[in-house]
Amino acid sequence: MSLQISNLSVKVGSNLILKAINLEIKPGEIHALMGPNGSGKSTLANSIMGHPKANRIAGKIILDKKDISSLPTEKRAQAGVFMAFQQPVEISGVSIRNFLRLALLAQKTQFKLNVFQNELDKQAKALKFEPDFLKRSVNEGLSGGEKKRLEILQLLMLKPKYAILDEIDSGLDIDALKTVAQGMLRAKRMGIGLLVITHYSRILKYLLPKKIHILVKGQIVKTGSKQLAEKLEKSGYQAF
Amino acid sequence: MAKTRSHKDLSLTNELDYQYISKPGISENLIREISAYKQEPSWMLAKRLQAFKIFKSKPTPTWGANLSGINYKKIRYFLRPIDKVAGSWSEVPKKIRETYQKIGIPQAERKFLAGVVAQYESMAVYQSLQKQLEKQGVIFLDMDTGFKKHPELVKKYLGTVVPTADNKFSALNTAVWSGGSLVYIPKGVKVDIPLQAYFRINAKQVGQFERTLIIAEAGSQAHYVEGCTAPVYAADSLHAGVVEIIIKPGARLRYTTVQNWSKNVYNLVTKRAFVYEDGIMEWVDGNLGSKTTMKYPSIYLLGTGAKGSVLSIALAGAGQHQDVGTKIIHGAPNTSSSVVSKSISKESGRTSYRGLIKIPKNVKNCTASVVCDALLLNKNSRTDTYPKMEVYEADSGVTHEATVGQIGADQLFYLKSRGISENEARNIIVQGFIEPIVKELPLEYAIELNRLIKLEMSGLVG
Amino acid sequence: MKNLNKKKLIIPTSLKPVILYRINGVQEIEIKVKPGVKAEVLILNNFQKPRIESFLKINIKLYQNSKLNFVEGISGGQVIETRSVVKLLGSGAECQVTNMFQGNKNEQHVFQILIDHQSPNTKANVLVKAVYKNHASGKFQSLIKVGQKAKKTNSYYQDEVLLLDSAKAISSPTLEILTDDVKASHGSSVSRINRDQVYYLASRGLDFEQARECITAGFFTSVIARLPKAFCQPFLFKE
């Protein structure tokens, strides 16, 4: 059981962005992926989620032994992949509550409405949302921090097998960062495997990832334990 | 601050000995005379005569501004002031130079004097091509000379973008054209300095029918600047120019106009550009003068990835109607366009925006945006917005926004609380309103335009 | 000429919302809202049969300090035309106009509105929302006219058209403003479904059709706040 990226190479337009990436995340594991701007971090997230512009030219994405490399985005989501967006998209007129219900229905999850409502209220509260918040439109008019917390709320409600979180920590103040990290740790305890894409090591202090991968120019140049983040903090990406 | 010239200076008309002055009115004979005088090949005469027939057959358009005041019989359709096109500034007749000085050629022209093609009356009197341009193979000539030197080029492209029968005034222009510019930028050549033409009307009832043709070959780049200002006359004048632009793949052209015709001129101009693969066309258009302007610089995006933009300002004072706008046809996929139009109506002035954005069926992934802002300064000022968006392909995105407003009382109060006079405060607000467009002009023109608007605002001109 | 149906509606006092139905054929409705009256009028179509051709002319006159909330919801029909003239005759008159269109197959909708501000301190706000699928088409023409006497007018027109499949639309929002102390603006957009939204929804497991449905449902939500309260329910999501 794992989300396995093997030998994945991806082009965007005519540019080769990812070169033979190998990664494996097991249920309940947290991995961090770090790298400078333009190293291909977001492209990797989008490749796993199946963005139409991420053109896979080699390699595979295997989810619990099932090859999902060629599936459209929604089928990957239904198979158990989740992505927290760096810039979550606004969908006007669709309330968060209704949206989550639609998403669960689409994933053919069996649920009772009252159980869903109760759990949603509970999770929202834990992420420090006001009760009225769920009536608002998806991401519309939300602050940066609210958007990021909403991505975590979706993660906890949709309960995928594996999740890729693209810069979930950017633009968060220290309190929001803690709230988001706690949410992620709850996801880990549910058995969700997490790939955390980040620039900074500050969120990693809460998450204590099992492995840290360094992505430079589309290649994973180093994989190590959390000490790697400390080293990065001191010397930057130049050392790699 | 730049020294402002007064209105009176502008009205001075120098007496000139015209070597050739046509009688008022238009006839087949006149057209034959013009063509013979210019020693044109027979195909051009045939084209002119055919155009004259079309001109006669088409009614004066009634869908836009009121053109009922044009008396075609009283207009002089052709005259030329001197025999030879001068090679340097000192060769230009003194009287003409004096007039130029009086109307104050912008600093831009002085700086790049060597590159100026200036049009005086119906023909160019002065032109000098920078050696650098010559070396690059760039053609930058007045159209009469250009036609003599490069007849094959003119024959190949003339009328391909704006057909003779496009409208009544394009037909009239084709029949009696004189002057204008011929610009050819060879493949891959980037012209760094703006190519500037400067012209004006200087005789009573003289029609100005310049014809400009610009060809930007693949991968080339240039900026063409046309600016004009005209003295005041008693009788109505007609300006009916035609500008045709062809932008080949990957080329980029910007065409900047600051129009300040005197307040009796009918300014009815047809301007259009064809843009091919990944080419870029930018119209920057300032309209201050004339009695009535009808001008809709158009862009036909004919190659995948082509882009077009139109930035325009119109200022209408008492008795003026600026009927301006644009037409953009997305004729190829992945093309994009943007239009920003700002207008100011003062006293009984009227500004209109008339626009069309068209995305035909099966032309995928095109985007277009139009923003029109109008500022009304007086109780009897008027503004209209007549946009049209025709979208026959669902895979596209078109937006249009327009606002109409006046100078806010709170804005005025704020500025006055800082010790600024009411007039100056109004000025500041108007200048701020047009800033997004002014900043796109070459510096010297930006200064000139700001100064002209300030003059208009203070009521010194009008 | 098909059967012509004329109807006069004079609203003398503030009432509960009035509902009118469109018919197959030509129809004229005149609405007068007397001074100081607040009125709500809803026009609906319930065309069950195919090949419906419905032409409706509406003349609305608003007198001093009257208020009208006017809503029209249209879906289906072969050819449906609405031509409205709203005259704000008395000072302080206000009008809110909301139109929703849904078109499928080869349906054609034409919407024309003239908002004529003739008196000072008048307000108008028009919102048109339309979604077209398959080969359906919509044509939207509007004119906001502010006369010389209509000082302190505040007028706004907005149309938003969402196109799917091979649908098409023409929008021509126009303004004629003859005096300075006014606020007038309009906005118009004709667009496809946003691809980023589709991807975001796909990442949550919704396929293209589901995403489209979700986005179009959301698209109409902004209209709800403008509906007479009694009629909101059918348009809301079923929770």
Side-chain angles (χ1 to χ4, degrees):
Chain A
M1 298 274 275
S2 67
L3 176 67
Q4 196 187 341
I5 318 293
S6 77
N7 201 30
L8 182 71
S9 294
V10 171
K11 268 187 170 181
V12 175
S14 56
N15 301 322
L16 184 62
I17 306 292
L18 297 177
K19 299 157 197 165
I21 301 286
N22 288 293
L23 262 182
E24 187 175 20
I25 300 156
K26 295 197 167 126
E29 283 184 359
I30 297 181
H31 289 224
L33 180 79
M34 302 182 77
N37 283 330
S39 58
K41 300 191 297 296
S42 290
T43 301
L44 179 59
N46 279 315
S47 304
I48 298 170
M49 199 70 245
H51 193 285
K53 282 188 181 159
N55 175 18
R56 179 177 57 98
I57 53 167
K60 279 179 182 167
I61 302 160
I62 312 286
L63 185 135
D64 296 351
K65 293 182 184 151
K66 185 185 173 195
D67 185 350
I68 61 164
S69 318
S70 305
L71 293 182
T73 302
E74 68 272 18
K75 296 284 178 210
R76 296 185 197 205
Q78 288 163 16
V81 185
F82 177 90
M83 171 172 158
F85 284 56
Q86 190 181 338
Q87 281 156 339
V89 179
E90 298 185 357
I91 299 163
S92 60
V94 179
S95 75
I96 294 163
R97 192 182 284 278
N98 198 46
F99 166 68
L100 279 165
R101 196 180 59 88
L102 287 174
L104 280 170
L105 282 174
Q107 307 203 2
K108 298 177 183 71
T109 315
Q110 297 288 328
F111 63 91
K112 281 192 176 150
L113 196 57
N114 59 339
V115 177
F116 160 75
Q117 302 284 27
N118 288 342
E119 193 192 343
L120 179 56
D121 290 336
K122 204 183 80 193
Q123 295 287 14
K125 201 177 167 194
L127 286 162
K128 306 216 159 58
F129 286 121
E130 299 291 323
D132 270 359
F133 179 82
L134 299 170
K135 289 183 189 163
R136 298 184 62 176
S137 291
V138 178
N139 292 319
E140 194 178 52
L142 302 191
S143 72
E146 283 173 329
K147 284 183 183 170
K148 294 299 166 93
R149 279 189 287 143
L150 179 54
E151 294 291 291
I152 298 299
L153 178 63
Q154 293 178 39
L155 166 69
L156 292 167
M157 289 304 294
L158 299 177
K159 301 182 185 64
K161 291 177 176 150
Y162 304 94
I164 303 104
L165 302 111
D166 191 4
E167 295 198 21
I168 194 73
D169 53 339
S170 65
L172 295 183
D173 62 34
I174 209 73
D175 292 334
L177 187 73
K178 233 175 167 171
T179 308
V180 162
Q182 282 163 355
M184 288 161 74
L185 289 170
R186 279 204 296 286
K188 172 189 155 84
R189 286 196 294 273
M190 288 175 188
I192 301 171
L194 302 175
L195 177 64
V196 183
I197 294 174
T198 181
H199 273 294
Y200 308 104
S201 56
R202 56 175 195 163
I203 196 171
L204 304 183
K205 285 175 188 140
Y206 298 100
L207 298 176
L208 305 170
K210 182 168 187 193
K211 279 183 182 171
I212 292 176
H213 312 274
I214 310 284
L215 187 70
V216 177
K217 289 179 185 156
Q219 285 177 306
I220 293 186
V221 292
K222 182 104 185 163
T223 293
S225 60
K226 66 180 191 315
Q227 282 79 17
L228 199 53
E230 286 157 24
K231 192 182 163 195
L232 257 184
E233 197 90 312
K234 285 192 194 108
S235 54
Y237 293 107
Q238 242 73 44
F240 299 95
Chain B
M1 190 163 296
K3 224 178 152 185
T4 56
R5 58 184 187 250
S6 84
H7 185 214
K8 275 182 186 163
D9 291 340
L10 283 175
S11 351
L12 274 180
T13 307
N14 291 346
E15 291 300 321
L16 272 168
D17 301 323
Y18 292 115
Q19 292 190 353
Y20 186 103
I21 301 180
S22 67
K23 289 189 187 99
I26 183 167
S27 64
E28 203 180 300
N29 268 345
L30 171 83
I31 289 163
R32 286 182 190 283
E33 267 179 68
I34 294 173
S35 192
Y37 181 83
K38 291 176 178 243
Q39 299 171 333
E40 287 175 350
S42 58
W43 69 265
M44 182 57 86
L45 174 63
K47 197 176 176 71
R48 285 180 185 273
L49 290 173
Q50 188 222 2
F52 179 53
K53 277 194 190 125
I54 294 168
F55 165 72
K56 281 193 296 186
S57 73
K58 279 188 186 278
T60 301
T62 52
W63 47 265
N66 180 2
L67 303 177
S68 59
I70 301 174
N71 187 342
Y72 297 105
K73 285 179 187 149
K74 285 194 172 168
I75 291 162
R76 284 173 209 272
Y77 290 83
F78 181 73
L79 41 89
R80 60 168 301 159
I82 54 168
D83 214 5
K84 267 187 184 168
V85 171
S88 75
W89 184 239
S90 59
E91 283 177 40
V92 175
K94 201 172 159 228
K95 273 191 177 173
I96 293 175
R97 273 186 288 158
E98 276 170 16
T99 314
Y100 270 115
Q101 272 153 20
K102 225 164 256 160
I103 62 172
I105 295 177
Q107 288 302 312
E109 267 85 0
R110 298 198 183 157
K111 197 165 160 190
F112 294 113
L113 209 50
V116 168
V117 169
Q119 181 175 352
Y120 192 75
E121 302 306 323
S122 299
M123 296 266 290
V125 291
Y126 169 79
Q127 58 122 333
S128 173
L129 198 62
Q130 278 208 334
K131 279 189 180 138
Q132 184 196 340
L133 294 181
E134 246 168 43
K135 261 188 232 157
Q136 288 180 303
V138 173
I139 300 170
F140 180 37
L141 297 168
D142 72 276
M143 185 51 105
D144 291 273
T145 312
F147 183 36
K148 281 204 178 87
K149 284 193 175 170
H150 306 278
E152 70 302 327
L153 192 66
V154 174
K155 191 173 182 181
K156 186 172 170 193
Y157 290 106
L158 196 84
T160 59
V161 181
V162 178
T164 304
D166 189 78
N167 62 72
K168 187 174 180 74
F169 300 101
S170 65
L172 176 61
N173 175 283
T174 307
V176 297
W177 72 266
S178 233
S181 299
L182 175 66
V183 179
Y184 177 86
I185 320 288
K187 199 172 165 182
V189 168
K190 294 191 167 70
V191 182
D192 301 326
I193 56 163
L195 301 169
Q196 319 205 21
Y198 199 76
F199 53 88
R200 52 174 299 214
I201 301 175
N202 195 316
K204 285 181 184 177
Q205 293 154 301
V206 169
Q208 186 93 2
F209 303 97
E210 94 279 8
R211 184 87 186 200
T212 290
L213 179 60
I214 300 177
I215 300 125
E217 290 288 357
S220 67
Q221 270 185 32
H223 182 185
Y224 180 85
V225 184
E226 166 208 316
C228 42
T229 162
V232 178
Y233 291 108
D236 284 345
S237 245
L238 176 61
H239 172 239
V242 171
V243 176
E244 298 180 275
I245 297 176
I246 295 131
I247 297 178
K248 302 274 179 85
R252 177 175 193 150
L253 186 93
R254 173 175 284 205
Y255 190 110
T256 298
T257 311
V258 177
Q259 173 270 111
N260 189 25
W261 297 112
S262 69
K263 305 279 156 75
N264 60 324
V265 170
Y266 284 91
N267 182 39
L268 312 169
V269 184
T270 309
K271 292 183 164 176
R272 191 173 301 159
F274 282 0
V275 191
Y276 296 93
E277 287 78 1
D278 298 314
I280 300 176
M281 174 67 210
E282 300 167 299
W283 293 107
V284 180
D285 207 49
N287 293 290
L288 302 170
S290 82
K291 172 192 174 75
T292 300
T293 286
M294 283 176 75
K295 179 161 61 163
Y296 320 97
S298 307
I299 301 175
Y300 287 56
L301 298 162
L302 301 177
T304 304
K307 286 189 174 67
S309 82
V310 180
L311 285 173
S312 74
I313 320 175
L315 175 65
Q320 283 183 285
H321 185 184
Q322 306 282 10
D323 198 298
V324 297
T326 189
K327 182 160 81 177
I328 295 178
I329 311 293
H330 288 261
N334 303 321
T335 53
S336 63
S337 66
S338 123
V339 177
V340 177
S341 168
K342 300 229 173 201
S343 70
I344 303 162
S345 309
K346 191 189 130 207
E347 289 157 7
S348 64
R350 177 178 173 191
T351 57
S352 305
Y353 172 84
R354 218 175 280 280
L356 173 68
I357 302 283
K358 187 169 179 175
I359 301 183
K361 182 87 208 129
N362 294 326
V363 179
K364 305 236 179 237
N365 197 29
C366 297
T367 56
S369 94
V370 180
V371 179
C372 299
D373 292 326
L375 196 58
L376 293 163
L377 299 183
N378 297 92
K379 223 167 48 199
N380 54 344
S381 309
R382 170 168 182 175
T383 187
D384 319 299
T385 315
Y386 306 110
K388 194 170 187 189
M389 285 136 277
E390 295 185 17
V391 183
Y392 300 104
E393 170 55 53
D395 185 17
S396 50
V398 180
T399 61
H400 171 98
E401 281 170 56
T403 60
V404 175
Q406 79 264 36
I407 291 180
D410 44 350
Q411 282 178 311
L412 276 180
F413 177 72
Y414 183 83
L415 290 168
K416 285 198 257 182
S417 79
R418 301 293 183 260
I420 297 161
S421 73
E422 166 117 12
N423 268 344
E424 186 60 22
R426 282 175 172 273
N427 242 322
I428 289 170
I429 293 164
V430 168
Q431 307 252 339
F433 177 74
I434 59 168
E435 166 63 19
I437 290 169
V438 170
K439 72 169 191 234
E440 294 299 323
L441 295 172
L443 183 63
E444 295 84 355
Y445 277 84
I447 292 167
E448 161 107 345
L449 186 76
N450 271 329
R451 206 189 61 192
L452 282 167
I453 284 176
K454 210 167 165 176
L455 274 174
E456 295 285 346
M457 291 293 297
S458 65
L460 285 174
V461 178
Chain C
M1 189 92 150
K2 291 188 182 159
N3 52 325
L4 172 68
N5 178 303
K6 278 194 179 186
K7 185 163 199 153
K8 259 194 188 169
L9 187 67
I10 297 169
I11 306 181
T13 53
S14 305
L15 284 168
K16 278 197 272 179
V18 179
I19 308 178
L20 303 168
Y21 290 94
R22 294 187 68 124
I23 56 157
N24 187 9
V26 184
Q27 203 174 0
E28 258 184 58
I29 299 175
E30 195 176 322
I31 301 172
K32 284 185 184 173
V33 187
K34 294 288 184 187
V37 172
K38 284 182 190 172
E40 290 187 308
V41 176
L42 195 71
I43 295 191
L44 294 174
N45 61 340
N46 57 345
F47 300 137
Q48 307 296 334
K49 287 178 282 179
R51 304 209 128 278
I52 296 286
E53 297 193 353
S54 169
F55 303 89
L56 173 62
K57 229 168 136 180
I58 308 166
N59 285 305
I60 298 173
K61 288 177 179 162
L62 289 159
Y63 297 93
Q64 202 174 345
N65 294 323
S66 64
K67 275 186 192 167
L68 175 66
N69 182 15
F70 183 86
V71 178
E72 193 180 9
I74 285 177
S75 62
Q78 188 63 39
V79 179
I80 299 192
E81 285 191 19
T82 305
R83 297 180 197 273
S84 324
V85 176
V86 179
K87 290 192 171 156
L88 297 130
L89 300 172
S91 64
E94 287 182 23
C95 190
Q96 177 175 285
V97 178
T98 309
N99 276 267
M100 289 164 283
F101 294 90
Q102 284 196 72
N104 201 346
K105 296 172 193 161
N106 281 309
E107 295 157 15
Q108 291 173 35
H109 297 162
V110 176
F111 172 74
Q112 214 179 53
I113 191 165
L114 164 63
I115 303 281
D116 191 358
H117 293 269
Q118 299 190 359
S119 289
N121 292 305
T122 52
K123 273 187 198 166
N125 184 310
V126 183
L127 176 65
V128 179
K129 288 233 172 190
V131 175
Y132 290 109
K133 280 197 262 192
N134 288 319
H135 292 277
S137 68
K139 195 171 177 183
F140 305 92
Q141 274 179 303
S142 67
L143 172 59
I144 295 175
K145 216 168 159 176
V146 179
Q148 283 235 6
K149 287 182 199 156
K151 277 182 292 188
K152 309 245 180 258
T153 287
N154 193 336
S155 199
Y156 184 66
Y157 171 92
Q158 169 84 31
D159 69 41
E160 293 171 32
V161 186
L162 201 54
L163 294 182
L164 315 172
D165 310 316
S166 295
K168 54 187 187 270
I170 295 177
S171 167
S172 181
T174 64
L175 299 171
E176 286 181 358
I177 316 292
L178 276 66
T179 190
D180 67 331
D181 190 8
V182 299
K183 272 188 192 157
S185 57
H186 65 215
S188 170
S189 73
V190 181
S191 57
R192 63 191 158 201
I193 294 262
N194 182 321
R195 286 167 184 175
D196 291 339
Q197 289 182 336
V198 172
Y199 175 57
Y200 188 75
L201 290 168
S203 82
R204 302 302 186 246
L206 275 66
D207 66 22
F208 186 65
E209 276 305 315
Q210 290 169 320
R212 240 163 74 149
E213 220 168 277
C214 178
I215 293 164
T216 42
F219 178 76
F220 280 115
T221 309
S222 60
V223 169
I224 292 171
R226 300 166 66 101
L227 298 179
K229 290 235 160 47
F231 299 99
C232 288
Q233 231 45 46
F235 297 96
L236 287 170
F237 277 113
K238 287 172 201 105
E239 290 277 334

